[in-house]
Amino acid sequence: MDLAVKSKEIQELGFSVIDDVFTDQEVEDILAAINRTDSTKETFRKSDDLFAIRQFLKEVPETIDLIFNGKLKHIVKGVFGEDYFLVKSIYFDKPETSNWFVSYHQDLTISVNQKVEIAGFGPYTNKHKQFAVQPPIDILESNFTVRIHLDDTNEENGALKVIANSHSKGIYRPETIDWNVEKEMSCNVERGGVMIMKPLLLHSSGRTSNNKKRRVIHLEFSNKILPKELKWSEYLSLM
């Protein structure tokens, strides 16, 4: 695993895929911990098309040591640096017959503990008792996301489709995409692999058509200290 190559890919394309970060047994252990969790809590979202756990590592803390194995820590520190820490975690379970899809967008918000009027931060939203806010663009440009795939994922069961290098163009409204210029790519990932992406990368997800699950753990990382009035809603040091 040449992390210099992966780092260059992320810088140029906005994403990279790394296989074999988790063994089959490690994946099974993570899934077993999830299955033991009480799914009636407010931070859980359940429908025919999607099962999600917000603040995942807070709700299922026994997965922390399983997720942050030696390989993942090496990747995070080697690609981004020693000063990065976790600021958000979500678990997504897209069932075999899901019609749930997400159109092209950038991830323009961060999760914080409260609403405070601070220059450069806004607008705010509050969903399921979770505050989110659009921060200054330098925070979004330095943050990154790791998506751990617990199932083989391709175009037929919701692999992310992305527009390469769109992360380098600032706030990029999806309605302005010029398909004569832009190129769509499918980020297929094998079970136990990870996809790393920048929040400003335009991405989407299609419906499931092959009757196969797509379970993903979505982790966001930052090295930015927020203004003292604000705190990240989640914080986990990798040291």
Side-chain angles (χ1 to χ4, degrees), residues 31 34 51 56 90-94 146-151 153 157-158 160 214-219:
L31 289 171
I34 293 168
F51 172 52
F56 171 68
I90 312 173
Y91 170 71
F92 293 109
D93 178 350
K94 194 172 186 178
V146 173
R147 292 169 56 88
I148 301 168
H149 285 250
L150 306 178
D151 300 289
T153 308
N157 66 329
L160 287 192
R214 191 212 68 181
R215 292 167 292 187
V216 171
I217 297 170
H218 171 109
L219 305 175

mmCIF file with all atom_site columns, all heavy atoms in Angstrom, residues 31 34 51 56 90-94 146-151 153 157-158 160 214-219:
data_model
loop_
_atom_site.group_PDB
_atom_site.id
_atom_site.type_symbol
_atom_site.label_atom_id
_atom_site.label_alt_id
_atom_site.label_comp_id
_atom_site.label_asym_id
_atom_site.label_entity_id
_atom_site.label_seq_id
_atom_site.pdbx_PDB_ins_code
_atom_site.Cartn_x
_atom_site.Cartn_y
_atom_site.Cartn_z
_atom_site.occupancy
_atom_site.B_iso_or_equiv
_atom_site.pdbx_formal_charge
_atom_site.auth_seq_id
_atom_site.auth_comp_id
_atom_site.auth_asym_id
_atom_site.auth_atom_id
_atom_site.pdbx_PDB_model_num
ATOM 1   N N   . LEU A 1 31  ? -20.046 -6.038 12.566 1.00 0.00 ? 31  LEU A N   1
ATOM 2   C CA  . LEU A 1 31  ? -21.476 -6.256 12.328 1.00 0.00 ? 31  LEU A CA  1
ATOM 3   C C   . LEU A 1 31  ? -22.150 -6.891 13.540 1.00 0.00 ? 31  LEU A C   1
ATOM 4   O O   . LEU A 1 31  ? -23.292 -6.541 13.876 1.00 0.00 ? 31  LEU A O   1
ATOM 5   C CB  . LEU A 1 31  ? -21.669 -7.132 11.091 1.00 0.00 ? 31  LEU A CB  1
ATOM 6   C CG  . LEU A 1 31  ? -21.334 -6.470 9.749  1.00 0.00 ? 31  LEU A CG  1
ATOM 7   C CD1 . LEU A 1 31  ? -21.349 -7.496 8.625  1.00 0.00 ? 31  LEU A CD1 1
ATOM 8   C CD2 . LEU A 1 31  ? -22.311 -5.334 9.446  1.00 0.00 ? 31  LEU A CD2 1
ATOM 9   N N   . ILE A 1 34  ? -22.868 -4.195 16.037 1.00 0.00 ? 34  ILE A N   1
ATOM 10  C CA  . ILE A 1 34  ? -24.001 -3.380 15.594 1.00 0.00 ? 34  ILE A CA  1
ATOM 11  C C   . ILE A 1 34  ? -25.314 -4.101 15.857 1.00 0.00 ? 34  ILE A C   1
ATOM 12  O O   . ILE A 1 34  ? -26.287 -3.514 16.346 1.00 0.00 ? 34  ILE A O   1
ATOM 13  C CB  . ILE A 1 34  ? -23.860 -3.036 14.098 1.00 0.00 ? 34  ILE A CB  1
ATOM 14  C CG1 . ILE A 1 34  ? -22.657 -2.116 13.881 1.00 0.00 ? 34  ILE A CG1 1
ATOM 15  C CG2 . ILE A 1 34  ? -25.134 -2.371 13.570 1.00 0.00 ? 34  ILE A CG2 1
ATOM 16  C CD1 . ILE A 1 34  ? -22.266 -1.952 12.435 1.00 0.00 ? 34  ILE A CD1 1
ATOM 17  N N   . PHE A 1 51  ? -31.494 2.103  7.052  1.00 0.00 ? 51  PHE A N   1
ATOM 18  C CA  . PHE A 1 51  ? -31.297 2.055  8.491  1.00 0.00 ? 51  PHE A CA  1
ATOM 19  C C   . PHE A 1 51  ? -30.013 2.825  8.770  1.00 0.00 ? 51  PHE A C   1
ATOM 20  O O   . PHE A 1 51  ? -28.975 2.546  8.176  1.00 0.00 ? 51  PHE A O   1
ATOM 21  C CB  . PHE A 1 51  ? -31.182 0.610  8.967  1.00 0.00 ? 51  PHE A CB  1
ATOM 22  C CG  . PHE A 1 51  ? -30.781 0.466  10.412 1.00 0.00 ? 51  PHE A CG  1
ATOM 23  C CD1 . PHE A 1 51  ? -31.464 1.145  11.412 1.00 0.00 ? 51  PHE A CD1 1
ATOM 24  C CD2 . PHE A 1 51  ? -29.735 -0.361 10.773 1.00 0.00 ? 51  PHE A CD2 1
ATOM 25  C CE1 . PHE A 1 51  ? -31.096 1.010  12.740 1.00 0.00 ? 51  PHE A CE1 1
ATOM 26  C CE2 . PHE A 1 51  ? -29.372 -0.508 12.102 1.00 0.00 ? 51  PHE A CE2 1
ATOM 27  C CZ  . PHE A 1 51  ? -30.052 0.180  13.084 1.00 0.00 ? 51  PHE A CZ  1
ATOM 28  N N   . PHE A 1 56  ? -22.518 7.322  15.556 1.00 0.00 ? 56  PHE A N   1
ATOM 29  C CA  . PHE A 1 56  ? -22.381 5.871  15.594 1.00 0.00 ? 56  PHE A CA  1
ATOM 30  C C   . PHE A 1 56  ? -21.408 5.394  16.674 1.00 0.00 ? 56  PHE A C   1
ATOM 31  O O   . PHE A 1 56  ? -21.703 4.467  17.433 1.00 0.00 ? 56  PHE A O   1
ATOM 32  C CB  . PHE A 1 56  ? -21.938 5.368  14.216 1.00 0.00 ? 56  PHE A CB  1
ATOM 33  C CG  . PHE A 1 56  ? -21.562 3.918  14.170 1.00 0.00 ? 56  PHE A CG  1
ATOM 34  C CD1 . PHE A 1 56  ? -22.525 2.943  14.347 1.00 0.00 ? 56  PHE A CD1 1
ATOM 35  C CD2 . PHE A 1 56  ? -20.244 3.528  13.957 1.00 0.00 ? 56  PHE A CD2 1
ATOM 36  C CE1 . PHE A 1 56  ? -22.191 1.602  14.315 1.00 0.00 ? 56  PHE A CE1 1
ATOM 37  C CE2 . PHE A 1 56  ? -19.902 2.190  13.911 1.00 0.00 ? 56  PHE A CE2 1
ATOM 38  C CZ  . PHE A 1 56  ? -20.872 1.224  14.097 1.00 0.00 ? 56  PHE A CZ  1
ATOM 39  N N   . ILE A 1 90  ? -21.295 7.937  11.213 1.00 0.00 ? 90  ILE A N   1
ATOM 40  C CA  . ILE A 1 90  ? -22.647 7.471  10.865 1.00 0.00 ? 90  ILE A CA  1
ATOM 41  C C   . ILE A 1 90  ? -22.526 6.049  10.315 1.00 0.00 ? 90  ILE A C   1
ATOM 42  O O   . ILE A 1 90  ? -21.556 5.717  9.618  1.00 0.00 ? 90  ILE A O   1
ATOM 43  C CB  . ILE A 1 90  ? -23.313 8.349  9.785  1.00 0.00 ? 90  ILE A CB  1
ATOM 44  C CG1 . ILE A 1 90  ? -23.202 9.830  10.104 1.00 0.00 ? 90  ILE A CG1 1
ATOM 45  C CG2 . ILE A 1 90  ? -24.785 7.973  9.608  1.00 0.00 ? 90  ILE A CG2 1
ATOM 46  C CD1 . ILE A 1 90  ? -23.703 10.728 8.985  1.00 0.00 ? 90  ILE A CD1 1
ATOM 47  N N   . TYR A 1 91  ? -23.514 5.233  10.623 1.00 0.00 ? 91  TYR A N   1
ATOM 48  C CA  . TYR A 1 91  ? -23.623 3.907  10.017 1.00 0.00 ? 91  TYR A CA  1
ATOM 49  C C   . TYR A 1 91  ? -24.824 3.898  9.089  1.00 0.00 ? 91  TYR A C   1
ATOM 50  O O   . TYR A 1 91  ? -25.916 4.324  9.464  1.00 0.00 ? 91  TYR A O   1
ATOM 51  C CB  . TYR A 1 91  ? -23.804 2.838  11.100 1.00 0.00 ? 91  TYR A CB  1
ATOM 52  C CG  . TYR A 1 91  ? -24.174 1.469  10.590 1.00 0.00 ? 91  TYR A CG  1
ATOM 53  C CD1 . TYR A 1 91  ? -23.263 0.686  9.897  1.00 0.00 ? 91  TYR A CD1 1
ATOM 54  C CD2 . TYR A 1 91  ? -25.455 0.953  10.808 1.00 0.00 ? 91  TYR A CD2 1
ATOM 55  C CE1 . TYR A 1 91  ? -23.606 -0.577 9.430  1.00 0.00 ? 91  TYR A CE1 1
ATOM 56  C CE2 . TYR A 1 91  ? -25.808 -0.312 10.356 1.00 0.00 ? 91  TYR A CE2 1
ATOM 57  C CZ  . TYR A 1 91  ? -24.875 -1.071 9.669  1.00 0.00 ? 91  TYR A CZ  1
ATOM 58  O OH  . TYR A 1 91  ? -25.225 -2.309 9.215  1.00 0.00 ? 91  TYR A OH  1
ATOM 59  N N   . PHE A 1 92  ? -24.611 3.442  7.847  1.00 0.00 ? 92  PHE A N   1
ATOM 60  C CA  . PHE A 1 92  ? -25.687 3.326  6.861  1.00 0.00 ? 92  PHE A CA  1
ATOM 61  C C   . PHE A 1 92  ? -25.876 1.864  6.478  1.00 0.00 ? 92  PHE A C   1
ATOM 62  O O   . PHE A 1 92  ? -24.913 1.181  6.133  1.00 0.00 ? 92  PHE A O   1
ATOM 63  C CB  . PHE A 1 92  ? -25.349 4.094  5.574  1.00 0.00 ? 92  PHE A CB  1
ATOM 64  C CG  . PHE A 1 92  ? -25.275 5.585  5.720  1.00 0.00 ? 92  PHE A CG  1
ATOM 65  C CD1 . PHE A 1 92  ? -24.054 6.236  5.661  1.00 0.00 ? 92  PHE A CD1 1
ATOM 66  C CD2 . PHE A 1 92  ? -26.422 6.345  5.897  1.00 0.00 ? 92  PHE A CD2 1
ATOM 67  C CE1 . PHE A 1 92  ? -23.973 7.611  5.782  1.00 0.00 ? 92  PHE A CE1 1
ATOM 68  C CE2 . PHE A 1 92  ? -26.350 7.726  6.015  1.00 0.00 ? 92  PHE A CE2 1
ATOM 69  C CZ  . PHE A 1 92  ? -25.126 8.357  5.956  1.00 0.00 ? 92  PHE A CZ  1
ATOM 70  N N   . ASP A 1 93  ? -27.109 1.401  6.534  1.00 0.00 ? 93  ASP A N   1
ATOM 71  C CA  . ASP A 1 93  ? -27.466 0.061  6.048  1.00 0.00 ? 93  ASP A CA  1
ATOM 72  C C   . ASP A 1 93  ? -28.524 0.238  4.972  1.00 0.00 ? 93  ASP A C   1
ATOM 73  O O   . ASP A 1 93  ? -29.672 0.583  5.265  1.00 0.00 ? 93  ASP A O   1
ATOM 74  C CB  . ASP A 1 93  ? -27.999 -0.783 7.205  1.00 0.00 ? 93  ASP A CB  1
ATOM 75  C CG  . ASP A 1 93  ? -28.435 -2.186 6.764  1.00 0.00 ? 93  ASP A CG  1
ATOM 76  O OD1 . ASP A 1 93  ? -28.505 -2.446 5.545  1.00 0.00 ? 93  ASP A OD1 1
ATOM 77  O OD2 . ASP A 1 93  ? -28.712 -3.011 7.651  1.00 0.00 ? 93  ASP A OD2 1
ATOM 78  N N   . LYS A 1 94  ? -28.118 0.038  3.731  1.00 0.00 ? 94  LYS A N   1
ATOM 79  C CA  . LYS A 1 94  ? -29.051 0.157  2.607  1.00 0.00 ? 94  LYS A CA  1
ATOM 80  C C   . LYS A 1 94  ? -29.530 -1.251 2.260  1.00 0.00 ? 94  LYS A C   1
ATOM 81  O O   . LYS A 1 94  ? -28.756 -2.059 1.740  1.00 0.00 ? 94  LYS A O   1
ATOM 82  C CB  . LYS A 1 94  ? -28.332 0.805  1.418  1.00 0.00 ? 94  LYS A CB  1
ATOM 83  C CG  . LYS A 1 94  ? -29.236 1.299  0.321  1.00 0.00 ? 94  LYS A CG  1
ATOM 84  C CD  . LYS A 1 94  ? -28.392 2.089  -0.689 1.00 0.00 ? 94  LYS A CD  1
ATOM 85  C CE  . LYS A 1 94  ? -29.262 2.725  -1.743 1.00 0.00 ? 94  LYS A CE  1
ATOM 86  N NZ  . LYS A 1 94  ? -28.468 3.521  -2.701 1.00 0.00 ? 94  LYS A NZ  1
ATOM 87  N N   . VAL A 1 146 ? -13.693 8.998  5.561  1.00 0.00 ? 146 VAL A N   1
ATOM 88  C CA  . VAL A 1 146 ? -13.360 7.590  5.291  1.00 0.00 ? 146 VAL A CA  1
ATOM 89  C C   . VAL A 1 146 ? -14.650 6.791  5.346  1.00 0.00 ? 146 VAL A C   1
ATOM 90  O O   . VAL A 1 146 ? -15.386 6.858  6.330  1.00 0.00 ? 146 VAL A O   1
ATOM 91  C CB  . VAL A 1 146 ? -12.357 7.039  6.327  1.00 0.00 ? 146 VAL A CB  1
ATOM 92  C CG1 . VAL A 1 146 ? -12.170 5.533  6.134  1.00 0.00 ? 146 VAL A CG1 1
ATOM 93  C CG2 . VAL A 1 146 ? -11.017 7.751  6.209  1.00 0.00 ? 146 VAL A CG2 1
ATOM 94  N N   . ARG A 1 147 ? -14.933 6.056  4.280  1.00 0.00 ? 147 ARG A N   1
ATOM 95  C CA  . ARG A 1 147 ? -16.122 5.202  4.217  1.00 0.00 ? 147 ARG A CA  1
ATOM 96  C C   . ARG A 1 147 ? -15.668 3.739  4.239  1.00 0.00 ? 147 ARG A C   1
ATOM 97  O O   . ARG A 1 147 ? -15.032 3.268  3.294  1.00 0.00 ? 147 ARG A O   1
ATOM 98  C CB  . ARG A 1 147 ? -16.925 5.504  2.945  1.00 0.00 ? 147 ARG A CB  1
ATOM 99  C CG  . ARG A 1 147 ? -17.571 6.884  2.946  1.00 0.00 ? 147 ARG A CG  1
ATOM 100 C CD  . ARG A 1 147 ? -18.122 7.247  1.577  1.00 0.00 ? 147 ARG A CD  1
ATOM 101 N NE  . ARG A 1 147 ? -19.068 6.265  1.065  1.00 0.00 ? 147 ARG A NE  1
ATOM 102 C CZ  . ARG A 1 147 ? -20.375 6.287  1.315  1.00 0.00 ? 147 ARG A CZ  1
ATOM 103 N NH1 . ARG A 1 147 ? -20.906 7.236  2.074  1.00 0.00 ? 147 ARG A NH1 1
ATOM 104 N NH2 . ARG A 1 147 ? -21.167 5.370  0.795  1.00 0.00 ? 147 ARG A NH2 1
ATOM 105 N N   . ILE A 1 148 ? -15.984 3.056  5.341  1.00 0.00 ? 148 ILE A N   1
ATOM 106 C CA  . ILE A 1 148 ? -15.617 1.647  5.506  1.00 0.00 ? 148 ILE A CA  1
ATOM 107 C C   . ILE A 1 148 ? -16.744 0.794  4.946  1.00 0.00 ? 148 ILE A C   1
ATOM 108 O O   . ILE A 1 148 ? -17.890 0.902  5.377  1.00 0.00 ? 148 ILE A O   1
ATOM 109 C CB  . ILE A 1 148 ? -15.395 1.321  6.989  1.00 0.00 ? 148 ILE A CB  1
ATOM 110 C CG1 . ILE A 1 148 ? -14.287 2.205  7.572  1.00 0.00 ? 148 ILE A CG1 1
ATOM 111 C CG2 . ILE A 1 148 ? -15.058 -0.159 7.172  1.00 0.00 ? 148 ILE A CG2 1
ATOM 112 C CD1 . ILE A 1 148 ? -14.206 2.148  9.089  1.00 0.00 ? 148 ILE A CD1 1
ATOM 113 N N   . HIS A 1 149 ? -16.421 -0.061 3.997  1.00 0.00 ? 149 HIS A N   1
ATOM 114 C CA  . HIS A 1 149 ? -17.441 -0.871 3.324  1.00 0.00 ? 149 HIS A CA  1
ATOM 115 C C   . HIS A 1 149 ? -17.500 -2.268 3.942  1.00 0.00 ? 149 HIS A C   1
ATOM 116 O O   . HIS A 1 149 ? -16.515 -3.002 3.949  1.00 0.00 ? 149 HIS A O   1
ATOM 117 C CB  . HIS A 1 149 ? -17.144 -0.950 1.828  1.00 0.00 ? 149 HIS A CB  1
ATOM 118 C CG  . HIS A 1 149 ? -17.472 0.321  1.110  1.00 0.00 ? 149 HIS A CG  1
ATOM 119 N ND1 . HIS A 1 149 ? -18.519 0.437  0.233  1.00 0.00 ? 149 HIS A ND1 1
ATOM 120 C CD2 . HIS A 1 149 ? -16.907 1.552  1.175  1.00 0.00 ? 149 HIS A CD2 1
ATOM 121 C CE1 . HIS A 1 149 ? -18.585 1.676  -0.222 1.00 0.00 ? 149 HIS A CE1 1
ATOM 122 N NE2 . HIS A 1 149 ? -17.604 2.360  0.329  1.00 0.00 ? 149 HIS A NE2 1
ATOM 123 N N   . LEU A 1 150 ? -18.695 -2.595 4.453  1.00 0.00 ? 150 LEU A N   1
ATOM 124 C CA  . LEU A 1 150 ? -18.914 -3.894 5.093  1.00 0.00 ? 150 LEU A CA  1
ATOM 125 C C   . LEU A 1 150 ? -19.527 -4.905 4.132  1.00 0.00 ? 150 LEU A C   1
ATOM 126 O O   . LEU A 1 150 ? -19.816 -6.033 4.524  1.00 0.00 ? 150 LEU A O   1
ATOM 127 C CB  . LEU A 1 150 ? -19.799 -3.709 6.327  1.00 0.00 ? 150 LEU A CB  1
ATOM 128 C CG  . LEU A 1 150 ? -19.298 -2.660 7.336  1.00 0.00 ? 150 LEU A CG  1
ATOM 129 C CD1 . LEU A 1 150 ? -20.273 -2.525 8.492  1.00 0.00 ? 150 LEU A CD1 1
ATOM 130 C CD2 . LEU A 1 150 ? -17.906 -3.008 7.847  1.00 0.00 ? 150 LEU A CD2 1
ATOM 131 N N   . ASP A 1 151 ? -19.763 -4.485 2.891  1.00 0.00 ? 151 ASP A N   1
ATOM 132 C CA  . ASP A 1 151 ? -20.244 -5.361 1.808  1.00 0.00 ? 151 ASP A CA  1
ATOM 133 C C   . ASP A 1 151 ? -19.543 -4.961 0.524  1.00 0.00 ? 151 ASP A C   1
ATOM 134 O O   . ASP A 1 151 ? -19.103 -3.817 0.365  1.00 0.00 ? 151 ASP A O   1
ATOM 135 C CB  . ASP A 1 151 ? -21.763 -5.187 1.599  1.00 0.00 ? 151 ASP A CB  1
ATOM 136 C CG  . ASP A 1 151 ? -22.586 -5.529 2.825  1.00 0.00 ? 151 ASP A CG  1
ATOM 137 O OD1 . ASP A 1 151 ? -22.664 -6.727 3.154  1.00 0.00 ? 151 ASP A OD1 1
ATOM 138 O OD2 . ASP A 1 151 ? -23.134 -4.603 3.442  1.00 0.00 ? 151 ASP A OD2 1
ATOM 139 N N   . THR A 1 153 ? -19.480 -3.465 -2.896 1.00 0.00 ? 153 THR A N   1
ATOM 140 C CA  . THR A 1 153 ? -20.351 -2.389 -3.362 1.00 0.00 ? 153 THR A CA  1
ATOM 141 C C   . THR A 1 153 ? -19.960 -1.974 -4.773 1.00 0.00 ? 153 THR A C   1
ATOM 142 O O   . THR A 1 153 ? -18.786 -1.706 -5.046 1.00 0.00 ? 153 THR A O   1
ATOM 143 C CB  . THR A 1 153 ? -20.246 -1.159 -2.431 1.00 0.00 ? 153 THR A CB  1
ATOM 144 O OG1 . THR A 1 153 ? -20.454 -1.582 -1.081 1.00 0.00 ? 153 THR A OG1 1
ATOM 145 C CG2 . THR A 1 153 ? -21.289 -0.118 -2.789 1.00 0.00 ? 153 THR A CG2 1
ATOM 146 N N   . ASN A 1 157 ? -25.581 -1.631 -6.283 1.00 0.00 ? 157 ASN A N   1
ATOM 147 C CA  . ASN A 1 157 ? -26.112 -1.537 -4.921 1.00 0.00 ? 157 ASN A CA  1
ATOM 148 C C   . ASN A 1 157 ? -25.603 -0.307 -4.183 1.00 0.00 ? 157 ASN A C   1
ATOM 149 O O   . ASN A 1 157 ? -25.342 -0.335 -2.984 1.00 0.00 ? 157 ASN A O   1
ATOM 150 C CB  . ASN A 1 157 ? -25.839 -2.819 -4.116 1.00 0.00 ? 157 ASN A CB  1
ATOM 151 C CG  . ASN A 1 157 ? -24.360 -3.050 -3.853 1.00 0.00 ? 157 ASN A CG  1
ATOM 152 O OD1 . ASN A 1 157 ? -23.506 -2.669 -4.646 1.00 0.00 ? 157 ASN A OD1 1
ATOM 153 N ND2 . ASN A 1 157 ? -24.042 -3.697 -2.739 1.00 0.00 ? 157 ASN A ND2 1
ATOM 154 N N   . GLY A 1 158 ? -25.510 0.791  -4.929 1.00 0.00 ? 158 GLY A N   1
ATOM 155 C CA  . GLY A 1 158 ? -25.327 2.078  -4.280 1.00 0.00 ? 158 GLY A CA  1
ATOM 156 C C   . GLY A 1 158 ? -23.916 2.566  -4.081 1.00 0.00 ? 158 GLY A C   1
ATOM 157 O O   . GLY A 1 158 ? -23.685 3.433  -3.234 1.00 0.00 ? 158 GLY A O   1
ATOM 158 N N   . LEU A 1 160 ? -20.866 4.918  -4.469 1.00 0.00 ? 160 LEU A N   1
ATOM 159 C CA  . LEU A 1 160 ? -20.890 6.339  -4.765 1.00 0.00 ? 160 LEU A CA  1
ATOM 160 C C   . LEU A 1 160 ? -20.438 6.606  -6.195 1.00 0.00 ? 160 LEU A C   1
ATOM 161 O O   . LEU A 1 160 ? -19.465 6.022  -6.679 1.00 0.00 ? 160 LEU A O   1
ATOM 162 C CB  . LEU A 1 160 ? -19.980 7.107  -3.805 1.00 0.00 ? 160 LEU A CB  1
ATOM 163 C CG  . LEU A 1 160 ? -20.442 7.296  -2.369 1.00 0.00 ? 160 LEU A CG  1
ATOM 164 C CD1 . LEU A 1 160 ? -19.561 8.325  -1.678 1.00 0.00 ? 160 LEU A CD1 1
ATOM 165 C CD2 . LEU A 1 160 ? -21.898 7.710  -2.279 1.00 0.00 ? 160 LEU A CD2 1
ATOM 166 N N   . ARG A 1 214 ? -25.884 -2.858 1.155  1.00 0.00 ? 214 ARG A N   1
ATOM 167 C CA  . ARG A 1 214 ? -24.730 -1.970 1.144  1.00 0.00 ? 214 ARG A CA  1
ATOM 168 C C   . ARG A 1 214 ? -24.643 -1.335 2.524  1.00 0.00 ? 214 ARG A C   1
ATOM 169 O O   . ARG A 1 214 ? -25.380 -0.429 2.857  1.00 0.00 ? 214 ARG A O   1
ATOM 170 C CB  . ARG A 1 214 ? -24.863 -0.877 0.092  1.00 0.00 ? 214 ARG A CB  1
ATOM 171 C CG  . ARG A 1 214 ? -23.543 -0.107 -0.112 1.00 0.00 ? 214 ARG A CG  1
ATOM 172 C CD  . ARG A 1 214 ? -23.773 1.336  -0.471 1.00 0.00 ? 214 ARG A CD  1
ATOM 173 N NE  . ARG A 1 214 ? -24.353 2.082  0.650  1.00 0.00 ? 214 ARG A NE  1
ATOM 174 C CZ  . ARG A 1 214 ? -24.671 3.373  0.595  1.00 0.00 ? 214 ARG A CZ  1
ATOM 175 N NH1 . ARG A 1 214 ? -24.536 4.034  -0.521 1.00 0.00 ? 214 ARG A NH1 1
ATOM 176 N NH2 . ARG A 1 214 ? -25.168 3.983  1.652  1.00 0.00 ? 214 ARG A NH2 1
ATOM 177 N N   . ARG A 1 215 ? -23.731 -1.858 3.345  1.00 0.00 ? 215 ARG A N   1
ATOM 178 C CA  . ARG A 1 215 ? -23.543 -1.343 4.694  1.00 0.00 ? 215 ARG A CA  1
ATOM 179 C C   . ARG A 1 215 ? -22.196 -0.618 4.762  1.00 0.00 ? 215 ARG A C   1
ATOM 180 O O   . ARG A 1 215 ? -21.168 -1.179 4.386  1.00 0.00 ? 215 ARG A O   1
ATOM 181 C CB  . ARG A 1 215 ? -23.610 -2.481 5.714  1.00 0.00 ? 215 ARG A CB  1
ATOM 182 C CG  . ARG A 1 215 ? -25.012 -3.081 5.830  1.00 0.00 ? 215 ARG A CG  1
ATOM 183 C CD  . ARG A 1 215 ? -25.033 -4.380 6.593  1.00 0.00 ? 215 ARG A CD  1
ATOM 184 N NE  . ARG A 1 215 ? -24.361 -5.436 5.855  1.00 0.00 ? 215 ARG A NE  1
ATOM 185 C CZ  . ARG A 1 215 ? -24.339 -6.716 6.234  1.00 0.00 ? 215 ARG A CZ  1
ATOM 186 N NH1 . ARG A 1 215 ? -24.951 -7.085 7.354  1.00 0.00 ? 215 ARG A NH1 1
ATOM 187 N NH2 . ARG A 1 215 ? -23.714 -7.617 5.502  1.00 0.00 ? 215 ARG A NH2 1
ATOM 188 N N   . VAL A 1 216 ? -22.251 0.622  5.240  1.00 0.00 ? 216 VAL A N   1
ATOM 189 C CA  . VAL A 1 216 ? -21.076 1.496  5.230  1.00 0.00 ? 216 VAL A CA  1
ATOM 190 C C   . VAL A 1 216 ? -20.981 2.247  6.558  1.00 0.00 ? 216 VAL A C   1
ATOM 191 O O   . VAL A 1 216 ? -21.990 2.712  7.097  1.00 0.00 ? 216 VAL A O   1
ATOM 192 C CB  . VAL A 1 216 ? -21.165 2.520  4.070  1.00 0.00 ? 216 VAL A CB  1
ATOM 193 C CG1 . VAL A 1 216 ? -20.068 3.568  4.174  1.00 0.00 ? 216 VAL A CG1 1
ATOM 194 C CG2 . VAL A 1 216 ? -21.104 1.819  2.716  1.00 0.00 ? 216 VAL A CG2 1
ATOM 195 N N   . ILE A 1 217 ? -19.769 2.371  7.081  1.00 0.00 ? 217 ILE A N   1
ATOM 196 C CA  . ILE A 1 217 ? -19.497 3.251  8.217  1.00 0.00 ? 217 ILE A CA  1
ATOM 197 C C   . ILE A 1 217 ? -18.810 4.496  7.670  1.00 0.00 ? 217 ILE A C   1
ATOM 198 O O   . ILE A 1 217 ? -17.759 4.409  7.034  1.00 0.00 ? 217 ILE A O   1
ATOM 199 C CB  . ILE A 1 217 ? -18.629 2.554  9.264  1.00 0.00 ? 217 ILE A CB  1
ATOM 200 C CG1 . ILE A 1 217 ? -19.372 1.344  9.845  1.00 0.00 ? 217 ILE A CG1 1
ATOM 201 C CG2 . ILE A 1 217 ? -18.245 3.523  10.389 1.00 0.00 ? 217 ILE A CG2 1
ATOM 202 C CD1 . ILE A 1 217 ? -18.508 0.446  10.715 1.00 0.00 ? 217 ILE A CD1 1
ATOM 203 N N   . HIS A 1 218 ? -19.428 5.649  7.921  1.00 0.00 ? 218 HIS A N   1
ATOM 204 C CA  . HIS A 1 218 ? -18.982 6.936  7.389  1.00 0.00 ? 218 HIS A CA  1
ATOM 205 C C   . HIS A 1 218 ? -18.311 7.706  8.517  1.00 0.00 ? 218 HIS A C   1
ATOM 206 O O   . HIS A 1 218 ? -18.944 8.014  9.533  1.00 0.00 ? 218 HIS A O   1
ATOM 207 C CB  . HIS A 1 218 ? -20.223 7.675  6.850  1.00 0.00 ? 218 HIS A CB  1
ATOM 208 C CG  . HIS A 1 218 ? -20.008 9.093  6.448  1.00 0.00 ? 218 HIS A CG  1
ATOM 209 N ND1 . HIS A 1 218 ? -20.025 9.510  5.136  1.00 0.00 ? 218 HIS A ND1 1
ATOM 210 C CD2 . HIS A 1 218 ? -19.812 10.225 7.188  1.00 0.00 ? 218 HIS A CD2 1
ATOM 211 C CE1 . HIS A 1 218 ? -19.851 10.812 5.081  1.00 0.00 ? 218 HIS A CE1 1
ATOM 212 N NE2 . HIS A 1 218 ? -19.711 11.269 6.307  1.00 0.00 ? 218 HIS A NE2 1
ATOM 213 N N   . LEU A 1 219 ? -17.017 8.006  8.366  1.00 0.00 ? 219 LEU A N   1
ATOM 214 C CA  . LEU A 1 219 ? -16.248 8.690  9.399  1.00 0.00 ? 219 LEU A CA  1
ATOM 215 C C   . LEU A 1 219 ? -15.664 9.981  8.830  1.00 0.00 ? 219 LEU A C   1
ATOM 216 O O   . LEU A 1 219 ? -15.059 9.962  7.762  1.00 0.00 ? 219 LEU A O   1
ATOM 217 C CB  . LEU A 1 219 ? -15.099 7.804  9.897  1.00 0.00 ? 219 LEU A CB  1
ATOM 218 C CG  . LEU A 1 219 ? -15.460 6.406  10.410 1.00 0.00 ? 219 LEU A CG  1
ATOM 219 C CD1 . LEU A 1 219 ? -14.195 5.639  10.741 1.00 0.00 ? 219 LEU A CD1 1
ATOM 220 C CD2 . LEU A 1 219 ? -16.378 6.488  11.625 1.00 0.00 ? 219 LEU A CD2 1
#
